[in-house]
C-alpha cells in the first residue's frame, strides 16, 4: 500500500510538471510574437439585419441566454442553494455566474455598435468568468487553499489584460497577447487538470461538455459568414452565443446533480 501511494504521488507530481511545462511553452510561444493588433474587419459581421429599430438584431438577441443562465446560476447559488460546491470558494461560483450574466449585456451592447471601444465591455465580463472558473477547477481538482489565493489575482489579471489591450489600441499599437493568454491558457490548462488530477465531485463530465461547447462556439464564430450563407435565419456568430450559453447551462445542471466523492 505504501508503495502504491508513493507511485501515485510520483505520477501526480509528474503530471503537474507536464501541465506546467505545457503552459510555460504556450506563454513563450505567444510572447515571441510581436504585438497582435485587433483586426478592424473583426467588427464586420455578415448579419446586420435591423428589426424593431435594433441594428444587428439577432446578434444582440442571441445574448439573452447568457442573461438567463447567469440568473439561474445566481438563483441556484444564493436563493435555492441547490448547487453542490466548495463553500470555501463560494464567491468564485458567484463571480462565475455573475460574469455569465454580464456577458449577456456586454456582448449585446457591443453588437449594437461593434467597435474596439464597445468590445471592451464584451470581453471584460468574459475574463471574470474565465478566471473564476479556473480558480474553481483548481480547488475542485487540487488545492482549495491555492485556489483561494489565486482567485483575486486572476480576476485582476483578467481585467488588466482587457484594459491593456484597450490602452494599446488607443495608442495605435494594439496588443492582444495578454488577452489571448487569459482566454486560451485556461482552455489548455483545464483539460490537463481534468485528465491528470482527482475530482472532489461526481459529474465531472459537465466540464467536458462546457469545453466542447466552447470549442464548437469558436468554430461557429470562425465560419460566421459561411453559416449565414447556408442558413440565413441565423449567422455563425449568433449560434456561437447560443452554444456557449448552453455549455454554461450544462455546467449548472452538473453542479446541481453532482455529489461529493468520498476519499478513502
Amino acid at each position: 500500500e505504501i508503495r502504491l501511494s508513493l507511485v501515485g504521488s510520483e505520477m501526480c507530481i509528474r503530471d503537474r510538471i507536464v501541465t506546467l511545462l505545457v503552459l510555460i511553452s504556450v506563454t513563450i510561444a505567444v510572447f515571441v510574437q510581436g504585438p497582435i493588433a485587433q483586426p478592424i474587419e473583426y467588427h464586420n459581421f455578415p448579419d446586420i439585419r435591423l428589426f424593431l429599430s435594433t441594428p444587428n438584431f439577432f446578434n444582440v438577441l442571441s445574448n439573452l441566454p447568457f442573461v438567463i443562465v447567469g440568473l439561474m446560476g445566481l438563483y441556484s447559488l444564493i436563493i435555492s442553494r441547490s448547487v453542490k460546491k466548495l463553500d470555501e470558494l463560494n464567491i468564485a461560483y458567484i463571480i462565475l455566474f455573475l460574469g455569465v450574466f454580464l456577458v449577456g449585456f456586454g456582448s449585446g451592447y457591443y453588437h449594437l455598435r461593434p467597435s474596439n471601444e464597445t468590445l471592451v465591455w464584451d470581453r471584460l465580463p468574459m475574463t471574470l468568468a474565465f478566471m473564476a472558473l479556473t480558480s474553481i477547477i483548481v480547488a475542485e481538482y487540487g488545492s482549495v487553499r491555492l485556489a483561494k489565493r489565486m482567485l483575486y489575482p486572476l480576476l485582476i489579471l483578467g481585467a488588466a489584460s482587457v484594459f491593456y489591450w484597450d490602452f494599446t489600441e488607443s495608442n495605435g499599437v494594439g496588443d492582444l497577447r495578454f488577452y489571448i493568454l487569459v482566454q486560451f491558457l485556461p482552455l489548455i490548462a483545464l483539460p490537463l487538470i481534468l485528465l491528470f488530477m482527482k475530482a472532489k465531485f461526481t459529474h465531472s463530465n459537465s466540464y467536458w461538455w462546457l469545453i466542447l461547447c466552447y470549442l464548437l462556439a469558436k468554430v461557429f464564430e470562425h465560419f460566421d459568414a459561411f453559416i449565414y450563407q447556408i442558413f440565413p435565419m441565423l449567422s455563425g456568430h449568433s449560434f456561437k452565443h447560443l452554444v456557449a450559453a448552453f455549455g454554461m447551462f450544462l455546467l449548472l445542471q452538473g453542479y446541481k446533480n453532482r455529489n461529493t466523492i468520498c476519499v478513502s
Side-chain angles (χ1 to χ4, degrees):
E1 287 182 6
I2 294 173
R3 214 168 182 186
L4 286 172
S5 176
L6 288 173
V7 171
S9 176
E10 288 174 2
M11 288 180 65
C12 183
I13 293 170
R14 184 194 66 192
D15 293 339
R16 290 179 183 181
I17 291 173
V18 169
T19 300
L20 184 61
L21 289 175
V22 169
L23 297 180
I24 291 172
S25 300
V26 172
T27 302
I28 293 171
V30 170
F31 277 100
V32 295
Q33 309 293 321
I36 303 171
Q38 179 69 54
I40 198 65
E41 59 270 18
Y42 178 84
H43 307 302
N44 299 329
F45 298 100
D47 186 1
I48 57 173
R49 287 173 291 175
L50 182 76
F51 188 67
L52 298 177
S53 301
T54 304
N56 312 309
F57 178 80
F58 291 98
N59 279 344
V60 173
L61 182 66
S62 58
N63 284 287
L64 182 59
F66 287 118
V67 176
I68 295 171
V69 174
L71 284 174
M72 289 173 62
L74 293 171
Y75 177 85
S76 301
L77 283 164
I78 300 169
I79 309 238
S80 69
R81 300 182 183 274
S82 55
V83 167
K84 282 85 169 181
K85 58 184 171 53
L86 297 170
D87 290 336
E88 302 94 324
L89 262 290
N90 187 56
I91 187 63
Y93 295 94
I94 291 174
I95 292 172
L96 170 60
F97 285 99
L98 178 62
V100 172
F101 172 75
L102 293 175
V103 163
F105 289 100
S107 181
Y109 172 60
Y110 163 66
H111 284 287
L112 280 173
R113 295 189 300 107
S115 68
N116 282 348
E117 290 73 23
T118 56
L119 187 56
V120 170
W121 304 108
D122 181 6
R123 287 178 168 167
L124 192 57
M126 280 197 292
T127 64
L128 298 180
F130 285 140
M131 297 297 94
L133 180 64
T134 300
S135 180
I136 288 167
I137 292 185
V138 168
E140 291 186 358
Y141 286 79
S143 167
V144 174
R145 180 180 297 179
L146 175 62
K148 288 175 69 175
R149 289 177 177 174
M150 287 173 58
L151 177 59
Y152 292 109
L154 282 176
L155 292 172
I156 293 169
L157 181 64
S161 73
V162 177
F163 290 127
Y164 171 78
W165 161 71
D166 182 50
F167 175 77
T168 57
E169 286 287 352
S170 65
N171 284 276
V173 285
D175 190 359
L176 276 168
R177 288 177 297 176
F178 283 108
Y179 178 74
I180 289 171
L181 286 175
V182 163
Q183 186 176 36
F184 288 104
L185 272 185
L187 190 62
I188 296 168
L190 300 189
L192 293 174
I193 293 172
L194 296 177
L195 285 170
F196 294 145
M197 298 186 184
K198 201 167 185 180
K200 294 182 174 70
F201 294 95
T202 60
H203 289 74
S204 58
N205 62 328
S206 58
Y207 284 121
W208 288 110
W209 282 116
L210 175 63
I211 292 169
L212 178 62
C213 285
Y214 183 79
L215 292 175
L216 185 58
K218 300 304 284 185
V219 171
F220 279 125
E221 180 182 37
H222 182 74
F223 293 102
D224 187 9
F226 174 74
I227 291 170
Y228 188 51
Q229 287 176 355
I230 63 173
F231 190 80
M233 289 295 293
L234 287 177
S235 68
H237 206 90
S238 293
F239 277 117
K240 170 199 171 182
H241 297 155
L242 299 176
V243 171
F246 183 62
M248 285 304 305
F249 172 77
L250 293 177
L251 179 63
L252 176 59
Q253 295 308 113
Y255 282 167
K256 289 181 178 181
N257 295 327
R258 66 186 184 173
N259 294 295
T260 305
I261 296 175
C262 296
V263 181
S264 57

